[in-house]
Structure formats: structure tokens, C-alpha cells
Amino acid sequence: MPRTVKPLTETKCKSAKPKTKPYKLFDGDGLFLLVTPTGGKLWRFKYRLDGKERGPIAFGSYPEIGLAAARDLRRNARELVAKGIDPDNHRKEVKLAAQTHRENTFAALAEAWYQANASGNWRPTTAKKVRLYLDLDLLPPLGTRPIAEIKRAELITVLRKIEARGAFNVAKKCRGWLSLIFRYARSLGVIEINQATDLNVVAAQAPKSKPYAHVPQSELPAFLRALNDHKASLQIKRACLLLLLTGFRPGELRKATWDEIDFKAATWNKSGADMKMKRAHVVPLSAQAITILSEMRNDAGRNFLVFASPYKPKQPISDGTINRLLGAIGYKGRQTGHGFRHVVSTALNERGYNKDWIERQLAHGDDDEIRGTYNQAQYLDQRREMMQEWADHLDSIKANEEITPYKSGQRK
């Protein structure tokens, strides 16, 4: 028959004096107060699990942990034992989880996610952009917070501040990156729920962007004559003409190298790395474009760049060079480098060309990559004819000749 233990009282705990050797004051059900020779009073708990005696485990010291609090700890521990759970192991797991919780801040997980992708999955320009907006917009408000404690409302507040300064595109990118960071944390078992999903549902709507400034078709003859007559750099005037003759984006054009141009096949072959949509793009070249490029090639010498900066020959012309020329000839705010794509698109659509040919010429995205590759090859001959007719049209209107419009449906 088990020995009956008289429960402790606060008075007995307070009055317990140290002895030459440690001794125990039992409260029952495994709980006791260990009194040390130095006067320390330590709560301890012993228990049986799977038929074996376990412990003791520490519950803290008296009087910091009073008698009632120690009994609460004993009750909790005995409930675990009743469920077959070792309270000592459980406490270690809880402690480890709490430590992990504190260490797994948003900054730590974001950095781990960043390094995992920057080392091989991203292009350097992407890694640089992600790093910039992490440091500027996401880490300052979220960095020190345990990621498991961050709720959707907090993320929305962060994004609202980005939207409030009009940086809607940045907010869009940050929404995507937040979702990926939380997804990464969830895959590691750090969190159970991705709080950053579907943030686009509550995103503020960006005001409709205005198209890049571009002259209407009716003003194109005057523009071409103004460009031709101005005593500006021949190199930059040629850049403007080639934008009209190819439909390239200004960045794609100004960074071009001579090895992209196949004079024999009359094609301009851009790699996916240089294109906005990250896909290789072949542009058929009209006779007029070939003439311009041939003249430029003769002037280029050994320089590998088609549009080398006159000040730093190993670098392309700057992104503002074309727009500065357009301003100089009187078209500031009326025509931009990127706006030439609008001029080309509008003209070709108005003249009834097949929309797929036009979209392919402008290197617009195609959700189906296989279809995109197929169409690019399929439409090369059609696009060559289309762009030659467009180049001939530009020559005619520059000379102020009368143009016979295409018949409806002729180019479908």
C-alpha cells in the first residue's frame, strides 16, 4: 500500500531550513521541494512512464514558483503522462520550438529564399531588383518579426504603403515575392499557413497608364522630314529609323551587337536574355534596314556594339539618348523611343495585316511557348513582306508621295 503523503503548506515551504545534506519535502503525486545545504529550495517532479520511473525534472525555485504554481505544473505534467507523453521531452520540444520561432524571422527566411534563387535560378538583373525591394520595402517593417506571427493584415499594411507612393508595379512584384517567401517557409515546416496568398485580390488598382507618346499617322511625314533635316548625330537618327523599321524596344535596340545581325539572311537575331519576354526573337530586315546597318557596320570598325557610346565606346548609348534627340527636333512630349512601337503597331493594324504577324513582330508574349516558337518560324516570310512594305511606305511619305492604301483584307 503506497505511503500517504501529507501535502505541503506555504508555511512549511517558507520555514524549511538548510541542513548539511540536501533533503526533500514531498507534496505527493511526484512533486517535492529539494532543500540544498546552501539554502536553495528547488521544485522537482518524478513520474512513471511505460512502467519506468522517470525524472526528476525541474519546475523552478521557491519562492519564485510558489506552491500553487508548482502544483499547476505537476497537474500539467501528469496530464501528459496520462496521454503517454514524456513531460521532459515535451518541454524540450516546446523550448526548441520557441527558439526556432524566435530565430525564424521574416528576414532570416527571406534571406534564405533569396540566396537559394540568386545562386542560379535568377538572372543578375532579377537578383538585383529583388534585393533592392527587399531592403527598401519589405525588410524594414517585417524583418525582425517571427514569420509565424505575421498575419495577412500586416502584409496588406506594408503593401498599402508601397501603393500610397504610386509604386503599383513595385507593390505587384512584392506581392509575388511575399507569397514565394511564405511558401518557402511553409515547405521548411516553419509555418503551417501561407499568409501571403491571394494578396492580389485586395490590391489597389493602379491608374490606367498612358501610352508612350507617339505621333499620329498623319504627322509621320513631317516627323520623318524633321528627323532627316536636323543636324543631330547620324548614329542616333539611324537608331530612330531602325526602331520604326523593326519594332524593337529601345533597350533591345541600343544594346545590340553585330553578331546578332545576319546580313546574308537579312535577319536580326536577338537572344532571349536580351528580350523583355525572355524569348529569342528573329526580326526580318527590310532592304532599307540592311542599308542603314551596312553603312553603320563600315563606320563601326572593330567595335562589337551596334550603338556604341561616343564617350564610352565599350558601352551602348544611354537609355535617354534617343528621347533627347526627339526633344531636340521639336517632338518632346509628342514622340518617345518606345512610342515608335505604337506607331508601327497602329500603322500595321490599320493597313489590315494579320494580327498574329504584328504581335510576333513586336515580340509580344505568348502564353503557349510551343505555339510561340512555331508561329515565329511560320510567320517569318509573312513578316518579311509586311516590314518591307512598311519600309517602302515610310520612304514614300518622307518624299511626300501619294500612297495607295491596301485593299481591305489583302494582308490577312
Side-chain angles (χ1 to χ4, degrees):
M1 186 173 179
R3 184 180 61 175
T4 301
V5 177
K6 185 177 180 180
L8 292 173
T9 63
E10 283 287 353
T11 300
K12 191 168 185 179
C13 293
K14 289 179 182 178
S15 62
K17 304 297 182 184
K19 299 180 181 180
T20 55
K21 293 183 178 181
Y23 67 96
K24 303 171 183 176
L25 298 175
F26 292 93
D27 189 60
D29 291 331
L31 179 65
F32 61 90
L33 188 65
L34 177 65
V35 184
T36 68
T38 58
K41 299 176 182 180
L42 310 173
W43 291 113
R44 296 291 184 263
F45 173 70
K46 294 183 71 173
Y47 54 99
R48 294 186 69 84
L49 187 65
D50 298 330
K52 297 180 181 179
E53 187 175 276
R54 306 290 177 90
I57 58 177
F59 281 170
S61 60
Y62 181 89
E64 288 77 14
I65 302 296
L67 178 57
R71 286 171 175 167
D72 287 340
L73 293 171
R74 175 183 62 191
R75 184 180 65 256
N76 295 337
R78 285 174 61 82
E79 288 176 355
L80 292 172
V81 171
K83 297 175 183 177
I85 300 172
D86 189 320
D88 191 28
N89 291 341
H90 177 75
R91 184 170 61 171
K92 291 175 181 176
E93 291 171 358
V94 171
K95 185 177 180 180
L96 178 61
Q99 180 181 348
T100 303
H101 179 80
R102 290 191 301 272
E103 292 175 351
N104 283 327
T105 61
F106 177 84
L109 271 300
E111 188 64 32
W113 166 78
Y114 177 85
Q115 294 299 334
N117 287 281
S119 60
N121 294 342
W122 292 334
R123 297 174 70 245
T125 52
T126 300
K128 184 177 180 180
K129 183 178 294 184
V130 175
R131 179 81 270 168
L132 175 66
Y133 292 124
L134 275 177
D135 293 343
L136 288 179
D137 293 305
L138 299 181
L139 292 179
L142 300 172
T144 60
R145 300 271 287 116
I147 196 167
E149 292 182 4
I150 298 175
K151 303 301 181 184
R152 293 179 65 82
E154 192 170 351
L155 299 177
I156 292 171
T157 298
V158 170
L159 293 168
R160 287 283 186 258
K161 290 181 179 179
I162 300 173
E163 294 167 343
R165 68 172 193 260
F168 294 97
N169 189 51
V170 174
K172 179 181 178 180
K173 291 183 181 299
C174 286
R175 286 195 297 272
W177 295 332
L178 283 169
S179 182
L180 291 173
I181 292 168
F182 274 77
R183 180 182 177 186
Y184 178 80
R186 187 172 183 270
S187 70
L188 293 176
V190 175
I191 58 175
E192 296 297 325
I193 299 174
N194 184 343
Q195 296 284 352
T197 59
D198 299 324
L199 289 171
N200 60 304
V201 175
V202 293
Q205 294 299 310
K208 290 186 177 181
S209 59
K210 297 181 180 179
Y212 291 96
H214 59 284
V215 295
Q217 299 296 307
S218 60
E219 294 182 20
L220 197 51
F223 168 80
L224 290 172
R225 288 192 288 272
L227 180 66
N228 182 72
D229 296 343
H230 196 274
K231 295 179 180 180
S233 163
L234 182 59
Q235 178 197 45
I236 311 305
K237 292 201 289 187
R238 285 167 168 169
C240 291
L241 290 174
L242 285 171
L243 287 174
L244 274 171
L245 292 169
T246 62
F248 274 131
R249 297 173 179 88
E252 296 163 356
L253 183 91
R254 66 185 183 83
K255 295 177 183 178
T257 55
W258 287 113
D259 60 359
E260 298 172 356
I261 299 168
D262 187 333
F263 284 94
K264 185 176 181 180
T267 56
W268 196 326
N269 307 285
K270 299 289 291 186
S271 69
D274 297 329
M275 299 297 294
K276 179 180 179 180
M277 304 307 295
K278 308 308 176 191
R279 295 183 192 143
H281 183 47
V282 179
V283 171
L285 295 173
S286 63
Q288 290 88 334
I290 287 290
T291 297
I292 293 172
L293 289 166
S294 296
E295 293 172 351
M296 294 180 67
R297 187 73 187 94
N298 293 333
D299 297 338
R302 295 184 178 181
N303 199 311
F304 68 99
L305 291 168
V306 178
F307 291 98
S309 167
Y311 310 107
K312 297 180 180 179
K314 292 184 179 180
Q315 296 181 20
I317 57 175
S318 71
D319 56 0
T321 303
I322 292 173
N323 286 341
R324 282 194 292 273
L325 168 62
L326 295 172
I329 66 174
Y331 282 83
K332 183 177 182 180
R334 298 168 61 197
Q335 178 67 51
T336 62
H338 202 99
F340 287 121
R341 286 168 58 83
H342 292 269
V343 174
V344 174
S345 176
T346 300
L348 296 179
N349 277 291
E350 286 182 353
R351 292 177 178 277
Y353 288 103
N354 184 299
K355 292 187 180 298
D356 283 345
W357 305 354
I358 300 170
E359 291 297 287
R360 185 58 54 203
Q361 183 67 23
L362 297 174
H364 284 158
D366 191 323
D367 292 335
D368 187 332
E369 189 169 348
I370 295 176
R371 177 175 178 267
T373 302
Y374 173 74
N375 284 350
Q376 178 172 297
Q378 180 187 28
Y379 298 149
L380 185 59
D381 290 340
Q382 294 94 324
R383 290 190 289 125
R384 184 181 300 282
E385 181 181 359
M386 175 179 72
M387 296 309 290
Q388 183 59 59
E389 291 174 349
W390 167 240
D392 292 341
H393 172 72
L394 291 176
D395 279 352
S396 297
I397 63 174
K398 185 168 63 174
N400 203 23
E401 295 179 2
E402 188 71 24
I403 304 301
T404 302
Y406 297 121
K407 295 178 182 179
S408 177
Q410 182 178 346
R411 300 302 173 187
K412 295 294 183 181

